[in-house]
Amino acid sequence: MAHPAWSLAQHGFEVIAGLVVGEQLDELLATCPPIDGGGLRNAVERWPQAKRLVDAPSLAGVITRRLGVAPILTRAILFNKSPGRNWALGLHQDTTIAVEERRDVPEFGPWSIKDGVVHVQAPASVLASMVTVRLHIDDADESNGCLRVVPGTHRRGLIPERELAGMDARAISVEAAAGDAVVMRPLLLHGSGRNTSNRERRVLHMEFANAELPGGLRWHREPTACI
Ligand SMILES: O=C(O)CCC(=O)C(=O)O
């Protein structure tokens, strides 16, 4: 069920309560892989139960309704903020995408390689068409570093660094329970505080695209069956 207060179009995010419940959620909790650093990349490939979930029509339906067409899952990262692995993340936009290989195309760059996958900073036009689904494996609130966002900022294109400092006072916390999903636009300004609790805060972060890239660039694709 979508939380009524926020809308993806107007605010740049929404909370879908209970996207995963019951046995499916128990299975995710029981099989969630250990995470060495702050995040496990290529998480769908490395976590069969998460792959099964992403392959299931229910999640595909949620994403397809928001993107308008069959989505491409291009990046899946399992984040954990635990009392032992902890960080605060200042407000930022997600501007980097994962692609198959480097190909120089105007407006794309700089390039980098993360865990063997080529990444590049993309123009706002590409980022604006994407959707990120953050499936919560644990309950998240301010005490264990839930997401903070500045509603509406996804409509401002790429926001210059110098304008970020003034935004903090407008950020709100987005609490979610295990099994809820926060669906957001990558251009929404977001960050998160430190985990000051004794609980974990695991989130499966998945980025979806809805169109091919220009200039022969190709998305990196996570191996999923139906989306
Ligand atoms: O999971 C978090 O705390 C924030 C992650 C984030 O901001 C990001 O992936 O860009």
Side-chain angles (χ1 to χ4, degrees):
M1 196 180 65
H3 191 291
W6 307 110
S7 93
L8 189 62
Q10 189 183 348
H11 305 105
F13 74 102
E14 65 181 306
V15 182
I16 301 178
L19 181 66
V20 179
V21 291
E23 279 177 18
Q24 256 188 337
L25 181 58
D26 291 343
E27 194 180 52
L28 286 183
L29 284 164
T31 59
C32 191
I35 306 164
D36 279 344
L40 178 76
R41 289 181 186 275
N42 307 321
V44 166
E45 198 177 336
R46 294 171 167 172
W47 185 8
Q49 287 75 12
K51 174 165 162 41
R52 207 177 307 152
L53 178 80
V54 174
D55 284 344
S58 53
L59 184 67
V62 164
I63 312 304
T64 304
R65 277 194 294 282
R66 282 154 182 85
L67 286 177
V69 294
I72 300 164
L73 176 58
T74 179
R75 207 153 67 143
I77 308 170
L78 178 62
F79 285 119
N80 192 14
K81 249 188 216 197
S82 61
R85 292 261 177 210
N86 210 345
W87 70 95
L89 201 58
L91 291 175
H92 65 282
Q93 298 173 301
D94 288 340
T95 59
T96 300
I97 61 169
V99 295
E100 261 327 288
E101 61 187 3
R102 180 168 178 159
R103 189 180 266 256
D104 289 315
V105 175
E107 295 186 80
F108 285 79
W111 297 81
S112 56
I113 297 190
K114 296 178 187 175
D115 232 4
V117 177
V118 179
H119 283 68
V120 64
Q121 191 167 314
S125 56
V126 169
L127 301 166
S129 67
M130 296 174 70
V131 156
T132 298
V133 177
R134 289 171 53 93
L135 175 64
H136 285 256
I137 311 301
D138 301 300
D139 296 347
D141 57 28
E142 283 181 10
S143 73
N144 63 348
C146 69
L147 207 66
R148 297 172 67 245
V149 306
V150 185
T153 42
H154 65 299
R155 290 187 258 116
R156 293 189 42 185
L158 290 171
I159 301 174
E161 191 90 24
R162 63 178 182 279
E163 291 179 26
L164 297 184
M167 297 283 192
D168 222 61
R170 290 174 46 201
I172 59 158
S173 292
V174 184
E175 297 191 346
D180 292 355
V182 175
V183 180
M184 60 177 259
R185 295 288 185 187
L187 284 176
L188 180 71
L189 268 184
H190 63 283
S192 56
R194 287 175 66 81
N195 182 350
T196 56
S197 75
N198 56 7
R199 297 173 293 131
E200 296 191 282
R201 197 232 57 184
R202 292 166 295 180
V203 171
L204 179 60
H205 170 116
M206 295 174 280
E207 295 175 10
F208 295 89
N210 71 349
E212 295 303 332
L213 289 164
L217 264 176
R218 282 181 292 122
W219 291 102
H220 170 75
R221 288 171 188 254
E222 289 278 329
T224 55
C226 77
I227 52 177

